[in-house]
Amino acid sequence: MASVNKDAKGWRVLFVDSNGARKTIRLAGIPKMNKARAEEIGRYVDDLNGAKCSNGSTDRKTSLWLADIGQTLHNKLASVGLIDQRVSSTLGEFIAGYIERADVAPGTKMNFRTVERNLVDYFGADKLMRSVTAADAKAFRQWLQDNEEQAENTMRRRCGRARQFFAAAIKSKLIDENPFEGMSVTVNGSTDKERFITEAESQKILKACPDLQWRLIFSLCRYGGLRCPSEVLALTWENILWDSSRIIVTSPKTKRYKGHEQRVLPMFRELASVLNEAYEAAFDRLEDPSAVVSGPVVTRYTSADQNLRTTFEKIVTRAGLKQWPKPFQNLRSTRETELMEIYPSHVVVSWIGHSEKVARKHYLQTTDAHFEKAVAHQVAHNTPELTESNKPTKAKNPEKHRVLRGSPDTLSQVRRVELPRRDSNPN
């Protein structure tokens, strides 16, 4: 019969195993430990020890409890021979399986694999998940900065994904604590990577595009605010509602959120022209004139894993422009900034496909046009009068009102008004 007591080192469970040896299980380090919890563990230890002594099996309640306990307690029970050690997945094996099962957009899965490569490069694929400590996590972050030369936001994002992997390991009962917990992983808005692509620059890029397919890609990003490549490549002719001049955008990135699988945006004038041209080209390729154009709008690329950035940067260079960071996101950012000047914010974010908070933090920009508009507004209201020589006239001093300050001179200038004398003896 197991006994439970407390000494200077904390709560413990004592029992005699099948060989007659006295065993002690120290419960220090187990979260939320108190007398009731210690006695509960003692009862399960009794059942496990009884099954071990009789070569039998534990009851269902104990089996369920055993499957649900944390790794620390599991290790303590295994160390006294009551159970076998859990099979702990190695870092490489666990993360690869997690990514394979993840129901996320192709681009997100590609980003997961980047972090997987970083973790394996630093820790090694055979590193046990439960052997990674908080100190190891901090060292990994420093390694990203020193060896990978990652920017602050990139390190935060990658450590955030690493934390996500280890959170999944906790859920699988492989580890008790997340070594990346408490680490700053929130990505902050970065103005140094902002770039507003003006209409004049946009026209230069359109002229530099090698063909209609790339004019489509650029226009959908710059004037439709679509995510590239996921939303651009997911767009089909069935999503183009010609009668109502609207476009249904399917979003692989947000489809896991209920109600955010699709969104609808207007067929802006800049989009209508290029879509019409692309539709006519697709219709001309049909062998049957009575058939209906269907399928993807952009046909050159078929997978979101394909790299469109390299080709787009070449187009930007060909247009005579300097390349900018985050090429496709800044096209979305530019369009959202423009639309916010015309439409209510809640309408714009519904078209672009994110929250107002995300828009303010990562998308909306302060442009040169804002400064020019502010200066023009100020000048229009404060332009001085000009003389015949086109020199500003001196501002006239406003009329100064005399203020009584209590001096005799000032008081002497006040007009005296005679008041009627009041009779001291009224009738």
Side-chain angles (χ1 to χ4, degrees), residues 396-407:
K396 297 180 180 179
N397 291 330
E399 182 180 354
K400 295 182 180 180
H401 297 283
R402 300 186 181 278
V403 179
L404 300 181
R405 302 184 182 275
S407 67

Side-chain angles (χ1 to χ4, degrees), residues 195 204-205 208 218 310-324 327:
R195 175 73 152 79
K204 289 180 180 180
I205 294 173
F218 176 76
T310 301
T311 302
F312 180 64
E313 287 178 343
K314 292 179 180 178
I315 294 172
V316 171
T317 301
R318 190 182 304 133
L321 302 175
K322 184 179 179 181
Q323 296 176 14
W324 59 83

Side-chain angles (χ1 to χ4, degrees), residues 98-395:
Y98 175 86
I99 295 175
E100 186 65 29
R101 297 186 300 271
D103 182 20
V104 295
T108 302
K109 189 163 286 193
M110 183 168 61
N111 292 331
F112 280 170
R113 291 198 176 99
T114 299
V115 182
E116 175 192 21
R117 187 184 69 250
N118 290 153
L119 289 167
V120 170
D121 286 348
Y122 182 75
F123 291 109
D126 296 331
K127 179 81 169 178
L128 295 179
M129 293 288 287
R130 66 168 172 256
S131 67
V132 180
T133 66
D136 293 333
K138 290 180 181 179
F140 169 73
R141 189 186 190 285
Q142 189 63 44
W143 177 81
L144 285 177
Q145 181 176 357
D146 296 341
N147 293 63
E148 296 287 308
E149 297 182 351
Q150 299 294 341
E152 178 65 25
N153 273 344
T154 303
M155 287 191 295
R156 288 181 175 226
R157 188 177 289 108
R158 293 193 182 181
C159 288
R161 290 184 177 124
R163 186 172 73 176
Q164 184 176 343
F165 297 152
F166 280 87
I170 291 177
K171 192 173 182 179
S172 299
K173 306 299 179 185
L174 294 177
I175 58 176
D176 291 331
E177 297 180 348
N178 192 327
F180 287 87
E181 193 64 41
M183 187 176 291
S184 297
V185 297
T186 302
V187 177
N188 297 316
S190 179
T191 57
D192 60 333
K193 291 187 177 181
E194 286 182 356
R195 175 73 152 79
F196 187 87
I197 294 82
T198 66
E199 179 61 21
E201 292 172 328
S202 299
Q203 291 303 315
K204 289 180 180 180
I205 294 173
L206 280 170
K207 291 179 181 178
C209 288
D211 52 30
L212 176 58
Q213 287 284 294
W214 264 103
R215 291 202 303 276
L216 266 174
I217 294 171
F218 176 76
S219 297
L220 289 169
C221 296
R222 172 62 178 82
Y223 299 113
L226 273 66
R227 294 181 176 92
C228 187
S230 60
E231 293 177 352
V232 170
L233 300 187
L235 188 67
T236 66
W237 288 113
E238 290 79 6
N239 299 139
I240 310 300
L241 308 181
W242 299 104
D243 293 341
S244 58
S245 296
R246 299 182 184 183
I247 300 172
I248 299 174
V249 178
T250 301
S251 180
K253 182 174 182 178
T254 59
K255 69 177 182 179
R256 64 183 182 277
Y257 303 113
K258 188 175 180 180
H260 296 273
E261 302 87 354
Q262 294 179 331
R263 66 181 186 276
V264 181
L265 68 146
M267 190 184 298
F268 298 107
R269 175 177 51 82
E270 299 91 343
L271 290 177
S273 58
V274 71
L275 285 171
N276 268 301
E277 185 181 356
Y279 185 86
E280 291 177 4
F283 184 81
D284 291 341
R285 290 193 296 269
L286 294 177
E287 296 181 359
D288 182 3
S290 62
V292 177
V293 176
S294 62
V297 173
V298 175
T299 56
R300 168 170 292 184
Y301 304 97
T302 58
S303 171
D305 292 336
Q306 291 176 285
N307 182 14
L308 277 66
R309 175 171 180 156
T310 301
T311 302
F312 180 64
E313 287 178 343
K314 292 179 180 178
I315 294 172
V316 171
T317 301
R318 190 182 304 133
L321 302 175
K322 184 179 179 181
Q323 296 176 14
W324 59 83
K326 300 159 64 171
F328 294 113
Q329 182 172 329
N330 273 313
L331 293 178
R332 271 169 57 79
S333 171
T334 295
R335 189 52 167 170
E336 184 164 21
T337 301
E338 286 178 341
L339 295 175
M340 282 287 188
E341 297 291 313
I342 307 171
Y343 305 99
S345 60
H346 72 280
V347 173
V348 176
V349 296
S350 72
W351 291 342
I352 299 297
H354 51 221
S355 67
E356 293 189 46
K357 181 179 179 181
V358 170
R360 289 192 299 270
K361 188 172 182 180
H362 298 289
Y363 283 83
L364 299 182
Q365 301 184 44
T366 301
T367 69
D368 290 340
H370 290 132
F371 286 95
E372 293 167 3
K373 182 178 180 181
V375 172
H377 178 77
Q378 181 181 358
V379 169
H381 287 76
N382 296 282
T383 302
E385 297 180 4
L386 300 179
T387 63
E388 293 182 0
S389 60
N390 289 331
K391 292 183 179 180
T393 59
K394 291 184 179 180

